[in-house]
Amino acid sequence: MIYVKDLIEVCNGKLLCGDINLPLNNFSKDTRLINKDDVYIGIKGESFDGNKFYKDALDKGASVCILDNIDEVDDKYKDKTIVKVEDTIKAIGLLAKYKRSLYNIPVVAVTGSVGKTSTKDMIAAVLSTEYKVLKTEANYNNHIGLPLTILKLTDEDILVVEMGMNHFGEISLLTNIAKPTLAVITNIGTSHIGNLGSRENILKAKLEILEGMKIPRMIINNDNDLLHKWYEENKEKIEIHTYGINNSSDVIAEKIELGEEKSKFVVKTSSEKVNIDVPVGGEHFVYNALCGFMVGKVLGLTAKEIQNGISKFELTKKRMDIRVLKNGATLINDSYNASYESMKASLKYLSSRTDLRKIAVLGDMLELGDFSKELHEKVGEEVANDNIDVLICRGEFAKNIISKANKNKKTQCILLQNNEEILSKLQEILKEGDGVLIKASNGMKFYEICQKL
């Protein structure tokens, strides 16, 4: 348990009014979600200042407010507890780091270019069979979301956190707050390559995760080319566990049977073979399950416990969320984010749905910089190779997808100007027996199309 007095000491805060002995529970930065006795954090964003809403938070029952932009407290609220800090974002990071120091529990940190959230969810599902687990909700994996996750710790046995980044130094900040005891890197792809310049630099940025670890202990996808190379160069220096399908690894998937809505395979280790059922289709979820298996083994679970956990895995919404629409078409909502690697995996899954007419709605992949044209063209080549029946695109770079997809004369290619046009076209052409994949970077707001469908 942490208290207002800890906040003041750790963050060099100033008590404007109230009780320094109040406990700090259930932190929130959104007044719409405030409950009684919550702690409200006023965060200043690009287009709003959360400090201005502290009265709303207190009116809704918040017990404490942490603010960085307040000069005088309204007389009406002087019986409440309000603490002023220099910077609320830095303050929650410092407070989360302090709270983490109070817990002697395993902390699993997951990073990678693609698959962080689904891998984190798979790991949590596995560990939850035997332990009480706190995990990052949705994709709250940045300098605000990660501290807020840690500040939720109560009596959990294990913490599983996701770490995202766009630039150098960001994973370094997060790992020095979370202090992981086990780190997972899912892969090194092309996400944010426009900011970092090369895949090698992306690997370097992801490896910042080691900076927060007293004793480095890693789990990596050994089929990823850069991770495999790094493993070969470092396996004698630090503890590294591997999983894969193609390269010899500590846990390997054999006899893979990919289904449309589920898959199964055999995990081979040095000492056993274990049958695994994954309740989601797609090869990338085989990798997720392998990673979950390896984490479970490292943290002492039996094969049966791991089997059970994988079988109960559930996807975070907007990530390969599959449902049948009223008209009988199947919607594959993967609209949250996109990179070349995740586009390729999603298209491969759509292609495997042999029972459906295959329609792909694809938008721009953002933050690729000078690599944008090349990587969008590579997506177009995947569309052509996967025999997609209808391709609908929107975006500045998406025209490059169509330029290469046109190689397959059987693919009908359509370039539209906005989400309303896409929705109208889908409502016109979708029918029973169709499968439609919707995927783009989050900034394209393709999730709005899914909601209206």
Side-chain angles (χ1 to χ4, degrees):
M1 181 70 70
I2 56 175
Y3 299 87
V4 172
K5 60 186 177 183
D6 299 317
L7 166 66
I8 293 169
E9 181 178 351
V10 171
C11 304
N12 195 26
K14 178 183 178 182
L15 184 69
L16 299 183
C17 53
D19 183 358
I20 64 170
N21 293 309
L22 279 180
L24 300 175
N25 295 314
N26 302 318
F27 289 72
S28 176
K29 60 183 177 66
D30 189 340
T31 55
R32 296 169 298 180
L33 304 176
I34 286 288
N35 294 308
K36 190 176 184 300
D37 295 330
D38 281 359
V39 178
Y40 175 68
I41 309 157
I43 293 178
K44 189 173 183 179
E46 293 182 5
S47 58
F48 69 95
D49 185 354
N51 292 274
K52 295 180 179 180
F53 303 105
Y54 83 92
K55 297 176 184 178
D56 292 341
L58 292 171
D59 289 339
K60 291 182 178 181
S63 62
V64 179
C65 285
I66 305 172
L67 309 173
D68 61 14
N69 185 18
I70 182 171
D71 295 318
E72 189 175 346
V73 179
D74 191 303
D75 288 342
K76 177 182 175 182
Y77 300 101
K78 286 188 175 177
D79 61 334
K80 305 293 186 180
T81 300
I82 301 174
V83 177
K84 183 177 181 180
V85 295
E86 182 181 349
D87 184 313
T88 50
I89 294 176
K90 290 181 180 177
I92 60 172
L94 290 169
L95 196 59
K97 184 174 182 177
Y98 170 70
K99 187 164 188 178
R100 163 68 182 98
S101 72
L102 303 178
Y103 287 77
N104 184 23
I105 60 173
V107 175
V108 183
V110 181
T111 192
S113 295
V114 181
K116 293 184 293 295
T117 300
S118 54
T119 302
K120 172 260 302 178
D121 288 339
M122 182 71 78
I123 290 168
V126 167
L127 297 176
S128 293
T129 60
E130 289 298 307
Y131 300 107
K132 186 173 182 181
V133 177
L134 174 65
K135 69 172 183 175
T136 300
E137 292 300 323
N139 72 314
Y140 298 151
N141 59 19
N142 65 5
H143 62 301
I144 297 174
L146 180 134
L148 288 175
T149 298
I150 294 173
L151 289 170
K152 289 182 179 179
L153 273 169
T154 54
D155 60 346
E156 288 83 9
D157 305 308
I158 293 179
L159 173 63
V160 182
V161 293
E162 180 181 334
M163 294 183 180
M165 64 92 203
N166 299 326
H167 300 87
F168 284 119
E170 293 176 348
I171 294 286
S172 177
L173 172 67
L174 300 179
T175 190
N176 278 293
I177 293 172
K179 298 294 183 181
T181 59
L182 179 62
V184 172
I185 303 182
T186 61
N187 47 57
I188 303 299
T190 56
S191 296
H192 315 301
I193 197 170
N195 298 332
L196 290 157
S198 69
R199 291 180 65 229
E200 287 74 17
N201 278 345
I202 293 172
L203 172 62
K204 185 178 179 181
K206 296 297 184 184
L207 287 171
E208 290 174 2
I209 202 168
L210 294 168
E211 296 174 16
M213 305 183 76
K214 287 184 179 179
I215 303 174
R217 189 163 60 154
M218 303 283 291
I219 294 176
I220 65 162
N221 174 357
N222 203 28
D223 285 350
N224 182 265
D225 57 343
L226 291 187
L227 286 174
H228 176 71
K229 181 175 182 289
W230 178 80
Y231 165 70
E232 292 295 335
E233 294 170 349
N234 291 275
K235 61 184 178 182
E236 303 301 329
K237 303 174 186 176
I238 62 176
E239 181 182 340
I240 308 173
H241 303 271
T242 59
Y243 63 93
I245 297 173
N246 302 313
N247 289 328
S248 178
S249 304
D250 296 324
V251 295
I252 303 173
E254 298 181 331
K255 300 179 181 178
I256 300 171
E257 297 180 27
L258 297 176
E260 293 168 355
E261 297 182 1
K262 57 185 179 180
S263 300
K264 60 182 180 179
F265 62 95
V266 175
V267 167
K268 179 185 176 183
T269 74
S270 60
S271 60
E272 60 186 341
K273 290 188 176 183
V274 184
N275 294 316
I276 299 292
D277 293 313
V278 186
V280 186
E283 185 181 61
H284 43 307
F285 290 105
V286 173
Y287 279 102
N288 291 346
L290 281 172
C291 182
F293 192 97
M294 190 73 259
V295 171
K297 276 294 184 184
V298 169
L299 294 181
L301 270 63
T302 66
K304 187 173 182 180
E305 290 163 349
I306 297 171
Q307 278 179 318
N308 185 33
I310 293 173
S311 71
K312 294 179 179 178
F313 166 72
E314 292 183 0
L315 273 173
T316 294
K317 295 303 180 185
K318 291 196 285 188
R319 283 173 166 78
M320 290 294 285
D321 181 15
I322 302 169
R323 61 187 64 193
V324 177
L325 303 176
K326 290 180 180 179
N327 63 6
T330 298
L331 170 65
I332 305 167
N333 176 4
D334 201 13
S335 61
Y336 179 75
N337 225 330
S339 65
Y340 165 65
E341 291 79 14
S342 65
M343 283 274 198
K344 180 179 179 180
S346 296
L347 286 165
K348 187 174 182 180
Y349 172 76
L350 177 63
S351 179
S352 73
R353 296 294 298 258
T354 55
D355 58 321
L356 305 172
R357 180 174 68 145
K358 293 174 277 293
I359 301 169
V361 179
L362 307 180
D364 283 354
M365 302 177 291
L366 305 178
E367 296 185 349
L368 299 180
D370 294 340
F371 298 88
S372 292
K373 182 175 185 293
E374 173 191 347
L375 290 172
H376 283 84
E377 287 178 344
K378 289 181 70 175
V379 170
E381 292 170 357
E382 295 296 331
V383 171
N385 294 337
D386 289 332
N387 295 313
I388 303 303
D389 297 302
V390 181
L391 170 66
I392 299 173
C393 287
R394 181 211 134 204
E396 178 183 355
F397 302 107
K399 61 187 178 185
N400 297 305
I401 299 177
I402 287 179
S403 70
K404 294 297 182 180
N406 273 325
K407 289 196 310 181
N408 189 329
K409 301 303 181 184
K410 295 181 180 179
T411 299
Q412 179 187 1
C413 296
I414 304 168
L415 182 65
L416 298 176
Q417 299 303 310
N418 53 57
N419 288 358
E420 289 72 24
E421 288 186 6
I422 293 175
L423 179 63
S424 178
K425 174 59 69 173
L426 290 175
Q427 290 171 334
E428 173 191 334
I429 68 173
L430 277 181
K431 62 181 186 296
E432 185 175 358
D434 288 347
V436 56
L437 166 68
I438 298 183
K439 188 165 182 65
S441 283
N442 201 38
M444 302 297 289
K445 298 184 178 180
F446 275 20
Y447 56 84
E448 295 177 347
I449 302 170
C450 297
Q451 290 169 352
K452 292 175 181 177
L453 281 176

